[in-house]
Amino acid sequence: MTDNQSVQAYTDAWTHSIESISELLAPLPTDSWNRATECPGWSVRDVVSHVIGVESELLGDPRPIHALPRDLRHVTNEFTRYMELPVDKRRCWTPVEITSELEYTVIRRSRALRNARQQPQDLVRWPAGPLARDVPYATLLRLRAFDVWVHEQDLRRALQLPGNLDSPAAVVTRDLLISSLPKQVAKEAGAPIGSTVVFDVAGALPFRCTVRVAADGRGSVDESVEPAPDVRLSMDWQTFVRLCCGRVRPETALVAVVGDQELGSRVLAHLVSTP
């Protein structure tokens, strides 16, 4: 795809996923809003509030003025504190208030995306508090499609309403996570020079790929499958996503590890690659 086609593809993926969240919430009973999700400390209500908060900030809305409680155990650093503030601000809101704000935010953000004049490589601000940085416009849209889809799946698992595991944003997520594997395997997990790790992922969005560690210690990924890798990690698509996004602990995830068990455990422990 050209850069402009990528921008449109990421925009379409984001639109599909955030509209799916709105559709999920429309018939939701009031008590379901308080169901826990796999995001530490966050309920269904909180995940939706987080999505609203980020999209509102991208629209240029001012950050809410709000004092966080001091007893939130999942708030452990300045980044989580930054993300928690717009979430905690909405904890006393009714479901109707939250869904109304989500719908209004989606309308405004969709209009802003349609009218955007940025070129794919123009630098824009990625709002992440202490981790904020300038990124190309296309990268920002890619990250938003990824983030919204991951949170859509957080909601679906909490509500036991599976779906959209192979949606356009799921494809964006797959490609983004695969592109992160060389760093996770070679640098974070410290896989030795010359080693190979095969990922064999089944389910709604299956793929196979091999991460190879070159003589310079850098990893690379290709779609060919090494017939005799140092370790083969087999799992389903949801498990792969949950591992990469920190939603499940490696020791409790359903993963078949064949080959070097110690290397396999290190790789699984360092798969988290959320932006």
Side-chain angles (χ1 to χ4, degrees), residues 9-39:
Y10 298 150
T11 301
D12 292 344
W14 172 89
T15 300
H16 182 275
S17 195
I18 204 163
E19 288 181 351
S20 295
I21 290 177
S22 292
E23 292 170 4
L24 272 178
L25 301 177
L28 204 61
T30 300
D31 58 352
S32 294
W33 283 79
N34 294 320
R35 289 191 188 183
T37 71
E38 291 179 339
C39 296

Side-chain angles (χ1 to χ4, degrees), residues 7-268:
V7 164
Q8 189 59 54
Y10 298 150
T11 301
D12 292 344
W14 172 89
T15 300
H16 182 275
S17 195
I18 204 163
E19 288 181 351
S20 295
I21 290 177
S22 292
E23 292 170 4
L24 272 178
L25 301 177
L28 204 61
T30 300
D31 58 352
S32 294
W33 283 79
N34 294 320
R35 289 191 188 183
T37 71
E38 291 179 339
C39 296
W42 281 5
S43 65
V44 167
R45 174 196 307 274
D46 298 335
V47 169
V48 178
S49 295
H50 166 69
V51 172
I52 294 171
V54 175
E55 298 299 338
S56 296
E57 192 161 352
L58 286 168
L59 284 165
D61 294 350
R63 294 266 297 170
I65 299 174
H66 179 69
L68 281 180
R70 296 187 177 183
D71 59 350
L72 299 176
R73 295 183 179 179
H74 58 283
V75 176
T76 58
N77 52 41
E78 286 305 308
F79 175 71
T80 54
R81 177 173 295 277
Y82 185 89
M83 290 299 176
E84 188 71 20
L85 193 146
V87 171
D88 192 70
K89 173 73 173 180
R90 294 171 172 84
R91 284 203 167 104
C92 62
W93 289 23
T94 66
V96 171
E97 289 173 324
I98 295 177
T99 53
S100 296
E101 187 186 25
L102 176 64
E103 291 170 1
Y104 182 51
T105 301
V106 171
I107 291 171
R108 294 172 61 213
R109 187 81 175 106
S110 298
R111 183 185 300 121
L113 291 171
R114 286 196 305 271
N115 296 332
R117 294 293 179 264
Q118 289 94 339
Q119 296 301 307
Q121 295 305 316
D122 288 350
L123 294 180
V124 294
R125 198 67 171 167
W126 178 52
L131 301 182
R133 63 184 187 272
D134 291 335
V135 298
Y137 181 59
T139 298
L140 176 69
L141 296 182
R142 187 188 195 196
L143 291 173
R144 289 312 303 142
F146 160 65
D147 187 62
V148 171
W149 182 82
V150 168
H151 287 310
E152 177 195 344
Q153 295 304 313
D154 288 331
L155 296 173
R156 288 186 178 279
R157 286 192 298 273
L159 298 170
Q160 299 180 11
L161 296 171
N164 284 346
L165 286 168
D166 58 353
S167 69
V171 174
V172 172
T173 298
R174 178 200 62 192
D175 295 346
L176 188 152
L177 294 178
I178 289 176
S179 71
S180 299
L181 290 178
K183 177 184 176 182
Q184 309 311 122
V185 171
K187 182 178 179 180
E188 303 299 336
I193 289 173
S195 61
T196 54
V197 179
V198 166
F199 290 84
D200 189 350
V201 176
L205 206 58
F207 68 88
R208 288 181 176 181
C209 67
T210 303
V211 177
R212 309 175 191 277
V213 182
D216 61 0
R218 294 174 180 266
S220 63
V221 63
D222 62 60
E223 295 181 358
S224 65
V225 178
E226 172 66 35
D230 290 275
V231 64
R232 181 186 303 272
L233 304 173
S234 301
M235 67 199 86
D236 66 21
W237 167 232
Q238 277 212 73
T239 299
F240 178 74
V241 170
R242 292 170 70 212
L243 280 167
C244 290
C245 298
R247 300 311 197 253
V248 62
R249 296 193 305 274
E251 60 269 23
T252 61
L254 296 176
V255 180
V257 182
V258 178
D260 187 331
Q261 297 292 306
E262 194 273 335
L263 176 58
S265 295
R266 287 211 316 272
V267 171
L268 291 175

